[in-house]
Each structure stands twice: as C-alpha cells, then as structure tokens.
Amino acid sequence: MADGVTRPKHFLSDKVEHFTESVIREMTRQAMLHSAINLAQGFPDFPAPAEIKHAAQQAVAADINQYAITWGAKNLRQAIARQMQAWQGIVVNPETEVTVCCGSTESIVSTLLAVCNPGDEIVIFEPFYENYGPDSVISGARPRFVKLHPPNDYVGEWTFDERELRAAFSHQTKAIIVNTPNNPTGKVFTRQELEFIRDLCVEFNVLAITDEIYGHILYDGAEHISIASLEGMRERTVTINGMSKTYAVTGWRVGWTIAPPTITNAIRKVHDFLTVGAPAPLQEAGAAALGLPESYYHKLADGYLARRDRLIPALVEAGFKCFRPRGAYYVMTDISAFGFADDVSFTQNLVKEIGVAAVPGSSFYKHPRDGARQVRFAFCKRDETLDEAARRLRRLHAHK
Ligand SMILES: Cc1ncc(COP(=O)(O)O)c(C=O)c1O
C-alpha cells in the first residue's frame, strides 16, 4: 500500500463478510474448553457398526488408497441407486445420476455452485440448518427465508403458511431447499406439504434441493417421502444424502447427490475441481453400509426414539418446554421460563456453569431475535452421556 500500512482485511473476499463462523462448531470448542457434555453438535458418541468399520479396514489393507473415480466408486453409486429404488421407488442410473461428494455438506455447496447465477434466489425454510445461508452466499445467490411456525402446544408440527411460501417464489427463484426430517425442528414434511411445494416448483420452474440426511431417523409413525418421488419432480430435484447420520460416521465425509444427468454433469464438474473425490476406502465401506439389512434401519430408529424419550423428560424437569421431534435427532426447546436476556447468554451460562453445551436458537434464523427464546439439544448420544447431562441440568432447575 502507498502508505506502507498492511490492511489484512483488504485481502478478503466480500462474501465472507456476509456470514459468521459456525455457531454449532464453536459450541463444540466451548464444550471441550469447559469439559461440558456436548449436546450441541450432531455427532454420535457411540461406535459405528462393526461391519462397516471392518469394510473400511479391509479396503485400506487392500490398497484402495488412491483417488476414486471423481464422481464416486462404481459399487457405492450402484448401492445408492439400489437403495433409492427399494426405499423410495425412484429408479436411478448410477452412471449418470449419482455424484459422491465429501459429505452432504459438499454435496449442497457443489449443487448450489452448479446451478446458481448471480441474482438467483434460494428459498429456505427457517429455522434452518446453519450451512444453507452461507452456502447460498458462496454460490452467489440470495437466500429468501420462509418461516416454519412452531406449534402452540409444543406437540404438533411446525408448519409453513402456504401464502408466505408462495410469496417467496418469483421469476428470480432458482431453487428451494427442503430438509426433511428437519434440523433443528424435527419436522417431517407430509405428502400434502411436499405436493404444495411441488406445485410451486412446477409453476415457477424451480429446482428442489432436498437434504434427506435424517431420512432413516423417524418417530411416532412418521413417513419419509423424497420429493423426487412425486409426479413432476424427478426432473427438477437434487436429492442429497450421506453416511454421516445413518451409519454414525460423521467424520468419514461421504455424501452424495442424485439428480438428472444434465444437472449431475454440472455438479460433477464443480465437485471435481473442489475436492477431486471423497475418501476412496471409505466409499468402499459405504457400499457395505448401504447393503446392511432392513433390520439395521429399524434398530437405528428405535435407538433414537429411546434417546429422545430419555432426554425430553430431563429437559422438561429442568424447566424447558420441548417441541416434540418426529424425525432427526434434535430437540428444539423454549427457554422462556429461565428469564435470561436471550438464547446466547443462556447457552453461555449453560456451558460454563452447568456443564452442558447446546446451540443458541438464533443461529438457525436470519434475524437473531427470532430465535432468542429457543435452544437446540442433540440426543445422538449414549445413555450415560444423556443421564449425566440430565444430572447436570437438574442444577439449572435449582437456579430458576
Ligand atoms: C440438515 C443437515 N444437513 C447436512 C449435514 C452435514 O452432513 P455431512 O456430515 O454429510 O456433511 C448436517 C449435519 O449436522 C445436517 O444437520
């Protein structure tokens, strides 16, 4: 610079000015700092299935240690296609319609980068999984938020207002992101709701990007429906899923997109230049995971149901009001009873004084005030972890 003064900010992209660091991952750092029970970040603290760990070990031993085909190992893509047909009745061509990425996280970014132009808008329900906002910005698009309204009785479903959703669609809308089962609310979108979204997508010629990473984690008779299975949606949907949540391997970083060939081609190009490929031996283990019997998925959902029903009474006893999730592994709570100024001061107190980490609700909203009375807890944890959290939370009750 002419005046010889270094101004580091000068080197930064304007894009990063528009989003902050992940609050969820920051809470994990704080949990470690304060030796708190981490009910913030959604990773299991119990072992992954032995069969798939064995498959990963075998793959490394067999020297599957070099780049996989950039869009994914053939046997994993075939397993993904087989599962989608058996599960959702959707016929998928593994050669032209599947791209394996580094987790669903990369799948979402690669998809948005592949489809968005400057000025495009992406419709996102809020509260939302916090990556969707920055992902839209990174890809040059503008997020348009539409509220999911909480049930008054805490038991019913979070719902969107059809008029509000329609009002968010315009000729600038490129895509809508649908996350079902939903993080953080636990909402499972019904067929009727998905049909309403389908009709808007068709009317406005909009793409659906659907994050179904919790699709196998359902309670109380809820049914997972992939929007791509609805008439008229197959050709305008990118379905995203991954191994992280279904097989308790969030650190493996294997996810995928399923999309029509033209969109898949574009996603593959972005993915190739972003990451080249997902970890090769873990893709082999992925093929083994997707071959697990039906009983695995029943056990998975039953296990999470038991964890949900272990944590919620402890939260209620401590003074939280809990929105009952019908899918995924989070409980959104109402913290009004504790009298804190906002969700951030509450979670700071919780992690430092009580020893439990949770996520402030504001991180799931565009305007922090909308989440100021909400806090999210993850229950993808061992019974001992949840019981220890419950024990600590009782002290909070005494503070009330
Ligand atoms: C809705 C949602 N999508 C995607 C992810 C990230 O998935 P992955 O580990 O496959 O990148 C998460 C993780 O918490 C999530 O909650």
Side-chain angles (χ1 to χ4, degrees):
M1 296 202 112
D3 57 7
V5 178
T6 307
R7 294 197 175 86
K9 249 185 141 178
H10 166 78
F11 298 121
L12 303 180
S13 151
D14 292 343
K15 281 180 182 159
V16 297
E17 294 281 311
H18 292 289
F19 52 85
T20 53
E21 275 184 58
S22 159
V23 177
I24 296 177
R25 294 178 278 280
E26 165 60 19
M27 287 313 298
T28 287
R29 287 190 286 272
Q30 291 213 23
M32 288 162 87
L33 187 68
H34 298 288
S35 303
I37 305 280
N38 187 355
L39 302 189
Q41 201 174 358
F43 61 84
D45 70 347
F46 44 83
E51 302 92 307
I52 73 167
K53 288 191 288 194
H54 185 60
Q57 285 158 347
Q58 277 189 320
V60 173
D63 257 322
I64 302 181
N65 292 315
Q66 309 309 326
Y67 301 123
I69 298 170
T70 180
W71 50 82
K74 194 180 184 77
N75 56 352
L76 176 56
R77 282 182 285 114
Q78 287 171 337
I80 291 164
R82 267 197 305 277
Q83 188 186 61
M84 203 56 177
Q85 177 153 21
W87 184 34
Q88 293 293 319
I90 299 172
V91 179
V92 174
N93 182 337
E95 291 309 320
T96 57
E97 297 187 304
V98 179
T99 310
V100 178
C101 296
C102 296
S104 313
T105 301
E106 191 227 304
S107 307
I108 298 164
V109 177
S110 289
T111 300
L112 287 170
L113 285 168
V115 303
C116 288
N117 290 308
D120 284 346
E121 290 189 356
I122 307 294
V123 176
I124 298 172
F125 290 105
E126 75 171 344
F128 51 84
Y129 173 55
E130 63 170 0
N131 281 33
Y132 300 152
D135 286 351
S136 308
V137 173
I138 288 170
S139 60
R142 250 196 327 267
R144 271 295 291 262
F145 297 104
V146 175
K147 283 265 166 4
L148 289 174
H149 300 283
N152 291 330
D153 61 358
Y154 298 91
V155 177
E157 278 287 359
W158 293 65
T159 48
F160 61 84
D161 181 311
E162 293 185 349
R163 279 163 310 180
E164 286 173 12
L165 183 59
R166 167 169 274 281
F169 277 69
S170 71
H171 64 277
Q172 287 172 306
T173 311
K174 175 55 71 71
I176 177 169
I177 298 181
V178 181
N179 172 216
T180 182
N182 183 260
N183 172 11
T185 64
K187 174 182 175 60
V188 179
F189 282 72
T190 64
R191 181 173 295 279
Q192 207 185 351
E193 288 171 327
L194 294 171
E195 283 175 354
F196 185 81
I197 296 168
R198 183 264 316 270
D199 291 347
L200 285 176
C201 287
V202 171
E203 184 182 335
F204 288 87
N205 199 20
V206 160
L207 187 71
I209 300 171
T210 162
D211 179 346
E212 306 189 358
I213 188 143
Y214 300 103
H216 294 282
I217 303 175
L218 299 161
Y219 317 112
D220 306 337
E223 184 196 2
H224 175 70
I225 300 166
S226 289
I227 200 169
S229 68
L230 302 189
E231 203 189 327
M233 286 310 286
R234 181 72 175 81
E235 61 271 29
R236 57 173 66 254
T237 302
V238 180
T239 306
I240 290 169
N241 213 321
M243 292 185 68
S244 284
K245 315 290 176 172
T246 311
Y247 306 106
V249 287
T250 58
W252 282 19
R253 315 309 304 130
V254 179
W256 53 84
T257 65
I258 298 172
T262 311
I263 301 175
T264 293
N265 255 331
I267 294 171
R268 286 179 176 183
K269 280 196 250 177
V270 176
H271 159 72
D272 187 7
F273 288 113
L274 267 185
T275 65
V276 179
L282 304 181
Q283 293 194 48
E284 297 303 317
L290 271 80
L292 287 172
E294 199 50 35
S295 57
Y296 172 79
Y297 300 93
H298 295 302
K299 253 177 73 186
L300 177 81
D302 287 350
Y304 278 119
L305 176 68
R307 292 181 191 102
R308 181 194 75 170
D309 293 347
R310 203 173 189 100
L311 181 62
I312 288 184
L315 291 169
V316 170
E317 194 195 326
F320 295 88
K321 291 217 164 67
C322 297
F323 297 102
R324 199 175 183 74
R326 300 186 69 218
Y329 49 50
Y330 307 97
V331 194
M332 195 64 144
T333 64
D334 182 324
I335 56 163
S336 303
F338 299 104
F340 276 74
D342 60 25
D343 58 322
V344 174
S345 54
F346 179 82
T347 48
Q348 287 301 328
N349 177 72
L350 197 66
V351 72
K352 287 188 191 136
E353 305 298 329
I354 306 295
V356 175
V359 181
S362 53
S363 64
F364 303 104
Y365 291 88
K366 178 174 185 225
H367 300 295
R369 63 173 183 272
D370 291 339
R373 311 245 57 82
Q374 294 171 356
V375 165
R376 189 201 76 175
F377 291 85
F379 55 83
C380 45
K381 307 292 170 183
R382 285 172 295 145
D383 286 354
E384 305 87 277
T385 310
L386 296 174
D387 290 348
E388 176 58 20
R391 197 184 64 73
R392 296 182 183 197
L393 286 168
R394 269 182 227 122
R395 301 211 326 263
L396 180 68
H397 185 61
H399 281 198
K400 251 196 321 168

